[in-house]
Amino acid sequence: MPRVNMVQALNMALREEMRRDPRVVVLGEDVGRRGGVFLVTEGLIDEFGEERVIDTPLTEMGIVGVAIGMAMYGLRPVAEIQFIDFIYEAFDQIVNNAAWMRFRSGGMYKIPLVIRGPCCGGIRGGMHHSQSNEAYFMHTPGLYVVMPSRPYDAKGLLKESIRVDDAVIFLEPKSVYRTIREEVPEDDYTVPLGKARIVREGDDVTLVTWGAMVYVAEQAAKIAEEKHGWSVEIIDLRTLLPWDRNAVISSLEKTGRLVIVHEARLFAGPGAEISAYIAENYIDLLRGPIKRVASYDTPFPLVHEKLYMPNVARVYKALMEVMQW
Amino acid sequence: MPRVNMVQALNMALREEMRRDPRVVVLGEDVGRRGGVFLVTEGLIDEFGEERVIDTPLTEMGIVGVAIGMAMYGLRPVAEIQFIDFIYEAFDQIVNNAAWMRFRSGGMYKIPLVIRGPCCGGIRGGMHHSQSNEAYFMHTPGLYVVMPSRPYDAKGLLKESIRVDDAVIFLEPKSVYRTIREEVPEDDYTVPLGKARIVREGDDVTLVTWGAMVYVAEQAAKIAEEKHGWSVEIIDLRTLLPWDRNAVISSLEKTGRLVIVHEARLFAGPGAEISAYIAENYIDLLRGPIKRVASYDTPFPLVHEKLYMPNVARVYKALMEVMQW
Amino acid sequence: MESHVSEKVDLPFKPLPPEVLEEYSGRLREALGLKRVIDEEGRVVDEGLMPKLPPSEMREIYEYMVRARVIDSWLLKLQRMGRVALHAPNKGQEATAVGTAKPMKPQDWLFPSYRELGAYLVRGMSEEEILDRALNTIDDPLKGSDFAIYGNRKYNIVPAPVPVGNQIPLATGAAMAAKILGHDTVVVAMFGDGASSRGDFHAGLNFAGVFKAPVVFVLQNNQWAISVPVKRQTAAPSFAIKALAYGIPGVRVDGNDVLAVYSVVSEALERARRGEGPTLVEAVTYRLGPHTTADDPGRYRSEEEVKIAERYEPLKRFRKFLDSQGILTEKEALQMEEEWNARVEDIVKRVLEKPGLPKDVFFHNVYERRPWHLEEEYEEFKESLKVAEELGLELEE
Amino acid sequence: MESHVSEKVDLPFKPLPPEVLEEYSGRLREALGLKRVIDEEGRVVDEGLMPKLPPSEMREIYEYMVRARVIDSWLLKLQRMGRVALHAPNKGQEATAVGTAKPMKPQDWLFPSYRELGAYLVRGMSEEEILDRALNTIDDPLKGSDFAIYGNRKYNIVPAPVPVGNQIPLATGAAMAAKILGHDTVVVAMFGDGASSRGDFHAGLNFAGVFKAPVVFVLQNNQWAISVPVKRQTAAPSFAIKALAYGIPGVRVDGNDVLAVYSVVSEALERARRGEGPTLVEAVTYRLGPHTTADDPGRYRSEEEVKIAERYEPLKRFRKFLDSQGILTEKEALQMEEEWNARVEDIVKRVLEKPGLPKDVFFHNVYERRPWHLEEEYEEFKESLKVAEELGLELEE
Ligand SMILES: Cc1ncc(C[n+]2csc(CCOP(=O)(O)OP(=O)(O)O)c2C)c(N)n1
Ligand SMILES: Cc1ncc(C[n+]2csc(CCOP(=O)(O)OP(=O)(O)O)c2C)c(N)n1
Ligand SMILES: [Mg+2]
Ligand SMILES: [Mg+2]
């Protein structure tokens, strides 16, 4: 089994799916000869040609709109948004057409579309190369929202996303693109949407997170363990819409304490739903209040991004707080 | 004091502000001769002329983008979105320019802009004339998000929104436009942003809501009172970003029970933040879990909308549930 | 690596070659002209553009226009009775709708806007289906999703979006897909003058030009976008000229002349089918009715204006032509209209009797499989109906 | 009620009058031609278009181009040293940036993109301020908000958006505001060929046409949008032709000929100032460097192509002209460049010593007044710094 990084794993997924199914096409800015600015689509144009690996004009509204039309007609497009921060021009297309065409048409048309792109901070990307905007999509029924944290999941989730018959927003934490390497099977496997992964087992606190925050959480958990002997169970949700309630509940049955960590902003952010849902429906499982750690409610700054995003100190502080209970 | 409906109150607010400050201009589709499709801008073109009451081409991206440029230059534009459901084409402009220009420019440019339009259901408007999409804007720092429920507030909040030096998303529940009439002063008064209104005092349950749901809440509260003698305190938040935490906490100090009712969809919706925030920080005030009542996580349907949105039965049911504690 | 040095780097620092100027001068003329086959009195003014159709088909075309007019007036009536949520009348624009759909093949796809009754009929949708849709009966193919839209996969008609114009890039995408799959399919997108201002128009036409997609864009310039006149929509002298911005041909045609629309759209369909790419057709027409049943045009346009526009009314005009050609007399035409009126009246009666959609209809067709939270909400929904019953609450009016 | 019967209802059913065709034929020629004052050897080819500038100003223009080149190369160096997050080199495009900004008046507003160093300098921004920005020192006027953007209210330069092109409708809006307020202000928006595909371009130019806004759009066609060549951006034969879609003039100019750019932009500014509305200027140029410091152009374009493009390099070309006119010898020009290089080196040293922005900088400038939840987060932030200290954690690298 090759040891690959996330970019390579994503590339494998695309290549395998394009081989398997001639209806799969890739489109976006610079996905062809350039192979994407992060090289996720590298080499695909050589194997599949310009008809299936399509460099487009510079408009996210156009890329997504055209991809929806392709999906309706019978292709299975994977549309790349060069940085997910640029997706807002396509917001109308995503909400009104990608997410709601099935409903609008009484179920006659489906949109098997993946909209994928690098998200999240940690590479000094500033306001528009760093965002975690999953909350906007989580509030949009008809979509799936996915974010892998490691190469294995990236490949399996992307393959699965290409196969489902609804539109998927597929967010790739770019700070992980080349930093994590692991063994990834060359066979055809998928990771189901809506299933979390237990990153680390533990009995004292449940820490729910996803994307690059998995690694920050691991560091904070290690410190907590070393300093206090607490064992932290870390759950990587992997899919945000729908999120894996059962995984969280099972863990809470052991721990009774919940910390949610995400890179998206706090206010009306993705963690709010999880926190509210658990406190509303599973209060009996909780020893004390839930704690969210998130980016602050400001635009994403170029400077001091590590202070802006959840960092080890902030996660550790949250663990300390919930362990009071 | 004249007894007016919300459309008239909004019209008064615009007229007064335009008289007071020559920098205030109105723009949007059909706002001129047509007076807006709901007549909120009726007659303004006669008093202020085509230069200040501007019928625009059909593009929300253009309306909002141009309005932002106007605001930067020194005007105080009020941009109408004909139905708030059509705002998504402008999402990039709203997030990246209206909300974040102050930040991007290190505080050098401010955007005194109001983006207003009819929202919410109840008039058989179907998928695209019924939405409550405040959650998308609540997750966007730099914005204020406002929704009045009655003519008096509509006038005072709109005037205040025109005067603040940040961008305001001003949502008008169209089912209330002509159904509620009340005395509205002809003088210059404003209602501050971020301050809730106690619609009805009560000791047993706190019901937090806004917009047209205030009236559904009132009916449900009446039934609960009649049937069980429970007294329900209803809080109309009026501003969602920021929301009036103090009003909610003071009420919870009495009641210890919280129901949140909104027309927006449940999942990752506006109520999630309020529910999560209270349960995370004020658990001691709560006798039992919070309950959210919201529209279902589907697109807004043309048929059976009264079953889709929170209705009296659903709110009553929620009150029953929290009164178990 | 494919170098594009010679055409791309050397060239840009020179004026474009004279052939380009010539080609675009020709396009400019088409974009600023007006193609017509018959004038407002039904007299033939351009034999060359006359579609080669047998009398029976001419008659059929007229019949579609009549049927569009008849069902339009019934929808208006039903809206006034409170049975239809909203209707966007197509009175005055029947020639464009029918002239566009008629030359399309069954495998072609149509992405209409909300004002194309004539086109739906031509593609096989029946009055009954239109009424099922408008009245949201149990047979509504779109299951009560939105108002004023019609569509059915059976006829390759994609239900329109209510947000103006966002079907345009979808049409381009479908056409690109058809091309990639090697299908003999052409896609047609219909929309209004107002839609031309949207980002979607820009993206849709630009992609179509770049990828030579087999798509025909039919812009119905009916002079108004609700109360906004075309001069407020664009400073360009025509909408067809916008095609030049995308490197595609743009043709301005009299949209109230069904034969001219038929001809121009036929040619555009054939170009697309031959692999020569997209065309923008501007059909100049006039909306004789209100924007929708919720509109009050008296606020923004004069009756005088409408009266002038009525001179160009497409049915009367085509009828005069048919009469003069001995294809259909005025009397036969009148009779045809009466017959359809009677037929539709019967259908209306029948459809009004049908039950509505089930109460839980909106819980379907959100996803292929409902996620757990929606499933939970569905359970809560069913319980809430019981609570309502217990309380004796009438939740719907 | 203003009736627009005669011009609006009667007219559309006719071809447009011949004057319109004539006017647009002229516009078509401008949009497909190429205005130049000097050729690549610096020889005058169009005396009529030669701006009437004294030698001192010609010299000054060259000096701005040199300064742009010098600061550009320093930013590249600093990026490679890891001190600048990202830089978008403007090498090869100096003539467009300087030629656009030079004829602007101080009260005019500039909405640039991220590649306009020459324009910032002309409007008064110093190398020191550029470096403060790029290095995010304590004096960074944009307070560490985003990379690769520059702006300052002092100079009426609005910091560019990193999302390509969304400044275009803002520019139109500012111009409309200036017109409403009766100010003698013209607004200039600069952007690339790629930006022309965005909905914002469409909306911004369309509004400008409809409202005759005093705005000049300078589209820098540098042949590439990262790896996407212009033929993939549009099927139109030029970008200037897109102006016709908005009823405004479009002029294609040699963007590597600073005198031609100066002339064409001057004229467009004057038109706007006279109340005659907007102009689209397509400046044909070439990006000689990588897209940004994160790019690898070897993946998508050949060195051969870049070599050909270098023949048109704007500094050398203008230098030849200045030399031939006796305004500035090649030697003086070289010396000028060395001087600036030395000067900037000193500034760089000084700026590198400056402290950075305070840790809490991002909590400012979100709102005029921080709402309570952000205030709470600010408190949490301060505490988290203490926790980090206690733990001995180094949070920033
Ligand atoms: C994105 C969007 N904005 C606004 C509206 C409200 N609206 C409905 S139809 C219409 C005018 C459309 O004009 P046009 O495109 O010319 O089509 P017509 O109605 O004349 O056929 C407007 C503004 C909408 N439906 N969608
Ligand atoms: C909306 C948006 N999409 C994608 C990008 C990524 N991106 C940055 S620059 C660029 C190309 C821009 O090309 P052009 O407009 O020609 O300007 P140039 O860089 O050539 O000066 C792209 C795709 C972006 N910044 N914004
Ligand atoms: Mg119209
Ligand atoms: Mg470019």
Side-chain angles (χ1 to χ4, degrees):
Chain A
M1 254 197 295
R3 282 180 67 79
V4 303
N5 64 30
M6 190 183 280
V7 167
Q8 293 164 319
L10 292 164
N11 188 272
M12 284 165 77
L14 289 171
R15 199 181 290 272
E16 286 172 24
E17 291 303 295
M18 291 181 84
R19 283 183 186 155
R20 193 185 55 80
D21 185 346
R23 296 170 304 171
V24 178
V25 300
V26 163
L27 71 164
E29 295 152 10
D30 306 293
V31 296
R33 200 56 58 214
R34 180 78 180 74
V37 297
F38 287 102
L39 304 181
V40 170
T41 57
E42 191 177 22
L44 298 181
I45 197 167
D46 299 319
E47 182 168 349
F48 304 103
E50 286 209 351
E51 280 226 320
R52 291 182 63 198
V53 183
I54 306 167
D55 272 326
T56 65
L58 203 170
T59 159
E60 287 69 22
M61 174 188 271
I63 293 167
V64 173
V66 159
I68 293 166
M70 289 176 161
M72 291 181 76
Y73 191 85
L75 298 179
R76 304 187 78 86
V78 180
E80 174 171 308
I81 302 297
Q82 194 162 91
F83 287 84
I84 211 68
D85 319 51
F86 301 135
I87 202 167
Y88 307 125
E89 198 204 18
F91 208 69
D92 177 61
Q93 284 293 348
I94 293 173
V95 174
N96 287 324
N97 286 329
W100 296 351
M101 180 61 84
R102 185 190 281 276
F103 187 86
R104 190 210 296 170
S105 67
M108 278 191 282
Y109 292 96
K110 61 182 186 194
I111 311 291
L113 164 67
V114 178
I115 299 173
R116 53 157 289 277
C119 72
C120 310
I123 59 147
R124 266 189 101 192
M127 286 176 75
H128 297 288
H129 291 78
S130 308
Q131 297 171 33
S132 301
N133 48 22
E134 61 266 32
Y136 295 131
F137 305 107
M138 288 172 67
H139 188 52
T140 308
L143 301 178
Y144 286 92
V145 182
V146 176
M147 194 190 298
S149 69
R150 55 172 190 158
Y152 179 91
D153 292 346
K155 180 179 166 187
L157 287 166
L158 184 52
K159 284 169 73 87
E160 179 67 15
S161 297
I162 290 171
R163 296 179 192 186
V164 303
D165 275 344
D166 287 296
V168 179
I169 306 290
F170 193 92
L171 306 163
E172 305 160 2
K174 68 181 90 64
S175 70
V176 182
Y177 265 168
R178 299 183 177 278
T179 51
I180 308 289
R181 238 170 221 289
E182 67 182 352
E183 294 199 335
V184 169
E186 286 178 289
D187 343 325
D188 182 28
Y189 70 94
T190 61
V191 172
L193 304 190
K195 282 269 164 293
R197 171 174 77 97
I198 309 298
V199 177
R200 176 191 208 277
E201 302 209 356
D203 298 318
D204 296 316
V205 198
T206 302
L207 193 160
V208 168
T209 189
W210 55 90
M213 287 300 107
V214 165
Y215 305 100
V216 173
E218 279 184 312
Q219 288 175 59
K222 226 174 120 220
I223 297 177
E225 185 147 41
E226 283 165 13
K227 275 208 181 299
H228 309 282
W230 302 331
S231 87
V232 182
E233 176 141 311
I234 299 180
I235 297 177
D236 174 4
L237 283 184
R238 303 196 292 196
T239 303
L240 289 326
L241 169 54
W243 60 283
D244 188 347
R245 168 187 54 169
N246 294 336
V248 177
I249 294 166
S250 307
S251 180
L252 284 176
E253 276 164 359
K254 290 192 291 187
T255 65
R257 297 184 185 92
L258 179 57
V259 172
I260 302 163
V261 180
H262 58 69
E263 248 183 272
R265 294 178 296 266
L266 183 77
F267 193 85
E273 177 61 33
I274 298 166
S275 172
Y277 182 85
I278 294 292
E280 289 165 12
N281 297 285
Y282 293 91
I283 192 83
D284 296 344
L285 297 181
L286 295 174
R287 292 180 194 224
I290 300 167
K291 188 86 203 148
R292 281 179 287 162
V293 185
S295 286
Y296 297 114
D297 283 296
T298 81
F300 199 106
L302 174 61
V303 296
H304 306 312
E305 63 174 332
K306 295 279 164 69
L307 304 181
Y308 168 77
M309 297 188 292
N311 52 43
V312 177
R314 292 180 63 203
V315 176
Y316 172 79
K317 185 164 160 282
L319 291 172
M320 295 264 286
E321 282 166 23
V322 298
M323 283 307 294
Q324 286 170 16
W325 302 98
Chain B
M1 258 197 292
R3 280 180 69 79
V4 303
N5 64 29
M6 190 184 279
V7 167
Q8 293 164 319
L10 292 164
N11 187 272
M12 282 166 78
L14 290 171
R15 198 180 289 272
E16 285 173 24
E17 291 303 295
M18 291 182 84
R19 283 183 187 158
R20 193 185 55 78
D21 184 344
R23 297 169 305 170
V24 178
V25 299
V26 163
L27 70 164
E29 294 152 10
D30 307 294
V31 297
R33 197 58 56 211
R34 180 74 178 78
V37 297
F38 286 102
L39 304 182
V40 171
T41 56
E42 191 178 23
L44 297 181
I45 197 166
D46 299 317
E47 180 167 350
F48 304 104
E50 286 209 350
E51 282 227 317
R52 292 180 64 198
V53 182
I54 308 168
D55 272 326
T56 66
L58 204 170
T59 159
E60 288 69 20
M61 174 188 269
I63 294 167
V64 174
V66 159
I68 293 167
M70 288 176 162
M72 291 181 77
Y73 191 86
L75 297 180
R76 304 188 78 85
V78 180
E80 174 170 311
I81 302 296
Q82 195 163 94
F83 286 85
I84 210 69
D85 318 52
F86 301 135
I87 202 166
Y88 306 124
E89 198 205 19
F91 208 69
D92 177 62
Q93 284 293 347
I94 293 173
V95 173
N96 288 323
N97 285 330
W100 297 350
M101 180 62 83
R102 185 189 282 277
F103 188 86
R104 188 211 296 169
S105 68
M108 277 190 284
Y109 292 97
K110 60 181 187 196
I111 310 291
L113 164 66
V114 178
I115 299 173
R116 53 158 289 275
C119 72
C120 311
I123 59 147
R124 267 189 102 192
M127 287 177 75
H128 297 288
H129 290 79
S130 308
Q131 296 170 33
S132 300
N133 48 21
E134 60 265 31
Y136 295 130
F137 304 106
M138 287 171 68
H139 188 52
T140 307
L143 299 179
Y144 286 92
V145 182
V146 176
M147 194 191 297
S149 69
R150 55 172 190 157
Y152 179 92
D153 292 347
K155 179 179 168 187
L157 287 166
L158 183 52
K159 285 169 73 88
E160 180 66 14
S161 297
I162 291 171
R163 296 179 192 186
V164 301
D165 274 345
D166 287 296
V168 179
I169 307 289
F170 194 92
L171 306 164
E172 304 161 2
K174 68 180 91 65
S175 70
V176 182
Y177 265 170
R178 298 184 178 278
T179 49
I180 307 288
R181 241 171 218 287
E182 64 181 356
E183 295 201 335
V184 168
E186 285 179 291
D187 345 323
D188 182 26
Y189 70 94
T190 61
V191 172
L193 304 191
K195 282 268 165 295
R197 171 174 76 96
I198 310 298
V199 177
R200 178 187 205 279
E201 303 209 356
D203 299 317
D204 296 315
V205 199
T206 302
L207 193 159
V208 169
T209 189
W210 55 88
M213 286 299 109
V214 165
Y215 304 101
V216 173
E218 279 183 313
Q219 287 173 59
K222 227 173 121 223
I223 296 177
E225 187 148 38
E226 283 165 11
K227 275 206 179 303
H228 309 282
W230 302 332
S231 86
V232 182
E233 176 142 313
I234 299 179
I235 297 178
D236 173 4
L237 282 183
R238 303 196 290 197
T239 304
L240 289 324
L241 170 55
W243 59 283
D244 189 346
R245 167 186 55 169
N246 295 336
V248 177
I249 294 166
S250 308
S251 179
L252 283 176
E253 277 164 359
K254 289 191 293 187
T255 65
R257 298 184 186 90
L258 180 57
V259 172
I260 302 164
V261 180
H262 58 68
E263 248 183 272
R265 293 179 296 268
L266 183 77
F267 193 85
E273 176 60 33
I274 298 165
S275 172
Y277 182 85
I278 293 292
E280 289 165 11
N281 296 285
Y282 293 91
I283 192 84
D284 296 346
L285 297 182
L286 294 174
R287 292 182 194 222
I290 298 166
K291 190 85 204 150
R292 282 180 287 161
V293 184
S295 286
Y296 297 115
D297 283 297
T298 81
F300 199 106
L302 174 62
V303 295
H304 305 312
E305 63 174 332
K306 295 277 163 69
L307 303 182
Y308 169 77
M309 299 189 290
N311 53 43
V312 177
R314 293 180 64 204
V315 176
Y316 172 79
K317 184 163 160 285
L319 292 172
M320 295 263 287
E321 280 164 26
V322 298
M323 284 305 293
Q324 287 170 15
W325 302 100
Chain C
M1 176 187 331
E2 180 213 13
S3 164
H4 61 238
V5 174
S6 47
E7 42 345 335
K8 281 290 138 196
V9 179
D10 230 21
L11 192 66
F13 291 99
K14 298 200 175 67
L16 292 157
E19 310 88 78
V20 176
L21 183 60
E22 209 171 295
E23 185 187 353
Y24 276 81
S25 298
R27 289 188 177 185
L28 189 63
R29 274 190 302 275
E30 290 234 306
L32 298 180
L34 185 80
K35 295 214 188 281
R36 297 181 119 180
V37 173
I38 55 172
D39 69 10
E40 16 337 343
E41 301 307 321
R43 290 171 301 222
V44 176
V45 292
D46 186 345
E47 267 297 352
L49 202 66
M50 175 71 76
K52 280 153 210 40
L53 293 171
S56 63
E57 271 199 63
M58 293 272 192
R59 207 191 118 101
E60 199 192 2
I61 286 175
Y62 183 72
E63 188 157 11
Y64 280 123
M65 289 167 71
V66 165
R67 286 174 61 190
R69 178 79 45 107
V70 167
I71 186 69
D72 192 50
S73 70
W74 273 102
L75 290 168
L76 262 172
K77 247 178 272 179
L78 288 162
Q79 197 282 334
R80 284 203 208 98
M81 286 163 59
R83 301 299 299 255
V84 165
L86 184 104
H87 177 56
N90 80 334
K91 189 175 170 203
Q93 302 182 215
E94 295 90 347
T96 300
V98 172
T100 296
K102 198 67 186 49
M104 290 173 68
K105 294 196 178 173
Q107 77 271 25
D108 294 343
W109 280 43
L110 179 66
F111 283 81
S113 181
Y114 43 76
R115 207 189 286 291
E116 271 82 67
L117 290 172
Y120 312 143
L121 293 168
V122 172
R123 289 195 66 74
M125 201 181 277
S126 67
E127 278 82 357
E128 174 154 356
E129 183 172 340
I130 289 172
L131 288 163
D132 278 328
R133 179 77 264 282
L135 293 159
N136 306 123
T137 72
I138 184 84
D139 295 325
D140 175 3
L142 307 187
K143 311 269 186 261
S145 63
D146 208 353
F147 58 40
I149 65 170
Y150 300 87
N152 199 323
R153 214 187 157 94
K154 267 199 295 202
Y155 317 116
N156 288 329
I157 301 175
V158 176
V162 165
V164 163
N166 78 17
Q167 78 275 34
I168 303 173
L170 274 58
T172 300
M176 288 171 69
K179 187 176 172 181
I180 289 168
L181 294 169
H183 291 182
D184 175 34
T185 304
V186 179
V187 178
V188 174
M190 300 181 79
F191 48 85
D193 43 290
S196 73
S197 293
R198 296 262 301 172
D200 296 293
F201 170 89
H202 190 56
L205 271 75
N206 192 38
F207 270 66
V210 167
F211 296 103
K212 278 205 167 204
V215 52
V216 179
F217 302 105
V218 179
L219 184 156
Q220 303 175 78
N221 173 4
N222 66 2
Q223 312 305 323
W224 294 96
I226 309 187
S227 75
V228 179
V230 290
K231 68 179 168 194
R232 254 300 152 90
Q233 207 60 248
T234 182
S238 82
F239 289 94
I241 198 176
K242 289 177 183 282
L244 276 62
Y246 309 108
I248 69 174
V251 188
R252 194 160 167 272
V253 62
D254 184 334
N256 284 10
D257 174 350
V258 71
L259 297 170
V261 175
Y262 182 98
S263 248
V264 165
V265 173
S266 290
E267 206 184 305
L269 288 166
E270 279 160 35
R271 276 195 73 235
R273 228 178 279 284
R274 286 194 305 268
E276 293 169 26
T279 307
L280 170 62
V281 176
E282 174 186 353
V284 178
T285 178
Y286 193 88
R287 157 166 67 74
L288 289 171
H291 169 68
T292 65
T293 46
D295 185 31
D296 172 10
R299 287 189 174 268
Y300 55 81
R301 71 182 188 188
S302 65
E303 280 180 35
E304 187 199 351
E305 171 177 322
V306 180
K307 238 176 238 143
I308 295 173
E310 261 159 7
R311 288 211 300 259
Y312 302 85
E313 192 278 306
L315 269 74
K316 186 178 59 201
R317 190 167 160 188
F318 191 40
R319 213 156 52 219
K320 283 188 185 167
F321 165 82
L322 293 172
D323 196 7
S324 73
Q325 305 289 309
I327 296 171
L328 188 78
T329 64
E330 288 268 352
K331 212 183 126 206
E332 288 168 324
L334 207 74
Q335 205 182 318
M336 186 192 276
E337 190 163 338
E338 273 167 23
E339 275 168 28
W340 274 107
N341 210 19
R343 235 174 276 173
V344 174
E345 185 163 5
D346 283 348
I347 303 171
V348 166
K349 276 192 199 131
R350 183 148 39 83
V351 173
L352 280 173
E353 304 279 275
K354 292 195 192 185
L357 289 156
K359 286 196 158 99
D360 66 352
V361 65
F362 53 81
F363 276 101
H364 302 279
N365 301 315
V366 183
Y367 290 89
E368 197 189 14
R369 268 170 306 164
R370 261 197 294 277
W372 64 263
H373 64 280
L374 194 50
E375 206 57 69
E376 268 193 353
E377 292 176 21
Y378 191 25
E379 293 308 315
E380 189 255 310
F381 165 74
K382 285 184 274 187
E383 278 168 41
S384 79
L385 293 184
K386 282 185 222 145
V387 174
E389 221 183 282
E390 282 161 30
L391 289 175
L393 284 172
E394 196 51 77
L395 292 176
E396 301 196 85
E397 61 271 30
Chain D
M1 178 188 329
E2 181 210 14
S3 165
H4 62 241
V5 174
S6 47
E7 70 293 13
K8 281 288 139 199
V9 179
D10 230 18
L11 192 67
F13 291 98
K14 298 201 174 67
L16 292 157
E19 310 89 75
V20 175
L21 183 60
E22 208 171 296
E23 184 186 355
Y24 276 80
S25 298
R27 289 188 177 185
L28 189 63
R29 275 191 299 277
E30 293 235 307
L32 298 180
L34 185 79
K35 294 212 187 279
R36 297 182 118 181
V37 172
I38 55 173
D39 69 9
E40 23 324 353
E41 301 306 322
R43 290 172 303 222
V44 177
V45 292
D46 186 344
E47 268 296 354
L49 202 65
M50 175 70 80
K52 285 163 202 33
L53 294 170
S56 63
E57 269 197 67
M58 293 271 190
R59 210 192 116 101
E60 198 193 2
I61 286 175
Y62 182 73
E63 188 157 11
Y64 280 124
M65 290 167 72
V66 166
R67 287 173 61 190
R69 178 75 51 101
V70 168
I71 185 70
D72 193 47
S73 69
W74 273 102
L75 289 168
L76 262 172
K77 248 178 273 181
L78 289 162
Q79 197 280 335
R80 284 203 209 98
M81 288 163 58
R83 301 299 299 255
V84 165
L86 183 105
H87 177 55
N90 80 334
K91 191 176 169 200
Q93 302 182 215
E94 295 89 347
T96 300
V98 172
T100 295
K102 197 70 186 47
M104 290 173 68
K105 294 197 179 173
Q107 77 270 25
D108 293 344
W109 280 42
L110 179 67
F111 283 81
S113 180
Y114 44 76
R115 207 188 285 289
E116 271 82 67
L117 289 171
Y120 313 143
L121 293 168
V122 171
R123 291 198 64 76
M125 201 182 279
S126 68
E127 278 82 358
E128 174 154 354
E129 182 171 341
I130 289 172
L131 289 162
D132 278 327
R133 181 75 265 283
L135 293 157
N136 306 123
T137 72
I138 183 87
D139 295 326
D140 173 3
L142 307 187
K143 311 272 186 258
S145 63
D146 206 352
F147 59 38
I149 64 170
Y150 301 87
N152 199 322
R153 214 187 157 96
K154 265 201 297 206
Y155 318 115
N156 288 330
I157 302 176
V158 176
V162 165
V164 163
N166 78 17
Q167 78 276 33
I168 303 173
L170 273 59
T172 300
M176 287 171 71
K179 187 174 171 181
I180 290 169
L181 293 169
H183 291 181
D184 175 33
T185 304
V186 178
V187 178
V188 174
M190 299 181 79
F191 48 86
D193 43 290
S196 73
S197 293
R198 296 262 300 172
D200 296 294
F201 170 89
H202 190 57
L205 270 75
N206 192 37
F207 270 67
V210 168
F211 296 103
K212 280 205 165 203
V215 52
V216 178
F217 302 104
V218 179
L219 183 155
Q220 302 176 79
N221 173 4
N222 65 2
Q223 312 305 323
W224 293 96
I226 310 187
S227 75
V228 179
V230 290
K231 68 179 165 191
R232 255 300 153 92
Q233 206 60 248
T234 182
S238 82
F239 289 94
I241 198 176
K242 288 177 184 282
L244 276 61
Y246 309 107
I248 69 175
V251 188
R252 194 161 168 272
V253 62
D254 183 336
N256 284 11
D257 175 351
V258 70
L259 297 171
V261 175
Y262 182 98
S263 249
V264 165
V265 173
S266 290
E267 205 183 306
L269 289 166
E270 279 160 36
R271 274 195 74 236
R273 227 178 280 285
R274 285 196 305 266
E276 292 167 27
T279 307
L280 170 62
V281 175
E282 174 188 355
V284 179
T285 178
Y286 192 88
R287 157 165 68 74
L288 289 170
H291 169 67
T292 64
T293 46
D295 186 30
D296 172 9
R299 287 188 173 267
Y300 55 83
R301 72 182 187 187
S302 66
E303 280 180 35
E304 185 200 351
E305 170 177 322
V306 180
K307 238 175 236 140
I308 295 172
E310 259 159 6
R311 288 211 300 260
Y312 302 86
E313 190 279 306
L315 269 73
K316 186 178 60 202
R317 189 167 161 188
F318 191 40
R319 214 154 55 216
K320 283 187 182 165
F321 165 81
L322 293 171
D323 196 9
S324 74
Q325 305 289 309
I327 297 173
L328 187 78
T329 65
E330 287 269 350
K331 214 184 121 202
E332 288 169 325
L334 206 74
Q335 204 182 316
M336 188 191 274
E337 188 163 341
E338 274 167 23
E339 277 169 26
W340 273 107
N341 209 20
R343 236 174 272 172
V344 174
E345 186 164 4
D346 284 349
I347 303 173
V348 167
K349 276 190 200 137
R350 183 148 39 80
V351 173
L352 279 173
E353 306 278 274
K354 291 194 193 183
L357 289 157
K359 286 195 156 96
D360 65 352
V361 65
F362 53 81
F363 276 102
H364 301 279
N365 300 317
V366 183
Y367 289 89
E368 195 188 17
R369 268 170 306 164
R370 259 197 296 276
W372 64 263
H373 64 281
L374 193 50
E375 205 59 69
E376 267 193 355
E377 293 176 22
Y378 190 25
E379 294 308 316
E380 188 257 311
F381 165 75
K382 285 184 273 186
E383 277 167 41
S384 80
L385 294 183
K386 281 185 221 146
V387 173
E389 221 182 282
E390 282 160 29
L391 290 173
L393 285 171
E394 196 51 78
L395 292 178
E396 301 196 83
E397 59 272 34

